Amino acid sequence: MDEALKIKMLKLSRAVLENDLLDSGNDLEIYDLPEFEEERGLFVSLHIKGKLRGCIGRLEAQNSIYQNVIELSKAAAFEDHRFSNLTKKELGQVKIEISLLTVPEKLEGVSTFEKMMKIRPKKDGVIINSGFSNATFLPQVWDSVPIREDFISELCRKAGLSKNYWEENELDISVYQVDHFEGP
């Protein structure tokens, strides 16, 4: 996606937050562009001073990019259970990051370890599934958890499993890539 469209996507996200927090009355329809009709998995992450402040996304394409940016911007600000609701005061400090996802691909292998070794650090986002437990990390998480075994252990923990669950149990593992960009 070209830079001008990425900037418009970030502006749409900011306009959504301004409408909800400041009652700004921004016209969101001006961002309803043909290029944003494509259905894609997408995440919206909010950061303040380099720290995560909210992140919500969809792995699978369920809505258009336009609709996802609107819904997920609100969700990242007001529905991420790890954080309190974003405030008016914080709005000016928030950096918005959008990640457009490719379609996830399931990794094949005889063991969880064999599948895990197919993951490309810093390139692949990872989804794990075991029964009703699942979790994902965007590729950006490799910056803070650069070792494969630790990465999968943290994903297991995020999914509500024990950190070493993958060592003795079978996991389904899928990977995806992202085009991510951020702005004020």
Side-chain angles (χ1 to χ4, degrees), residues 49-170:
K49 297 179 183 175
K51 294 190 176 184
L52 186 65
R53 181 59 178 84
C55 179
I56 300 285
R58 292 193 175 110
L59 294 167
E60 304 289 335
Q62 296 176 351
N63 294 317
S64 67
I65 290 172
Y66 172 76
Q67 197 61 40
N68 272 335
V69 170
I70 292 172
E71 291 175 12
L72 298 174
S73 295
K74 289 180 184 183
F78 307 115
E79 296 173 21
D80 188 333
H81 65 275
R82 299 170 293 179
F83 303 95
S84 60
N85 287 353
L86 189 70
T87 65
K88 289 179 189 180
K89 184 178 178 181
E90 292 174 308
L91 183 59
Q93 303 171 52
V94 166
K95 280 199 170 209
I96 300 168
E97 178 183 22
I98 296 177
S99 298
L100 289 171
L101 281 60
T102 61
V103 176
E105 296 178 22
K106 188 173 180 176
L107 296 179
E108 299 298 330
V110 265
S111 68
T112 296
F113 185 78
E114 185 180 317
K115 293 177 214 173
M116 188 172 73
M117 295 312 292
K118 294 179 181 180
I119 298 168
R120 298 172 305 163
K122 297 194 179 268
K123 292 186 179 189
D124 292 331
V126 180
I127 305 164
I128 62 163
N129 287 295
S130 181
F132 293 106
S133 300
N134 61 68
T136 189
F137 279 150
L138 294 168
Q140 298 90 301
V141 175
W142 286 104
D143 292 339
S144 58
V145 188
I147 298 167
R148 259 193 202 99
E149 290 84 348
D150 295 343
F151 195 88
I152 296 299
S153 291
E154 288 302 314
L155 262 175
C156 286
R157 192 179 60 74
K158 183 179 179 186
L161 306 167
S162 66
K163 283 180 77 166
N164 61 348
Y165 182 88
W166 65 270
E167 294 176 23
E168 298 174 7
N169 298 280
E170 194 61 31

Side-chain angles (χ1 to χ4, degrees), residues 23-50:
D23 201 21
S24 297
N26 292 315
D27 180 9
L28 303 182
E29 295 292 320
I30 63 172
Y31 300 103
D32 194 2
L33 307 170
E35 296 88 349
F36 294 163
E37 289 177 11
E38 180 184 2
E39 292 186 356
R40 295 272 301 268
L42 187 145
F43 275 71
V44 174
S45 303
L46 306 177
H47 301 272
I48 295 180
K49 297 179 183 175

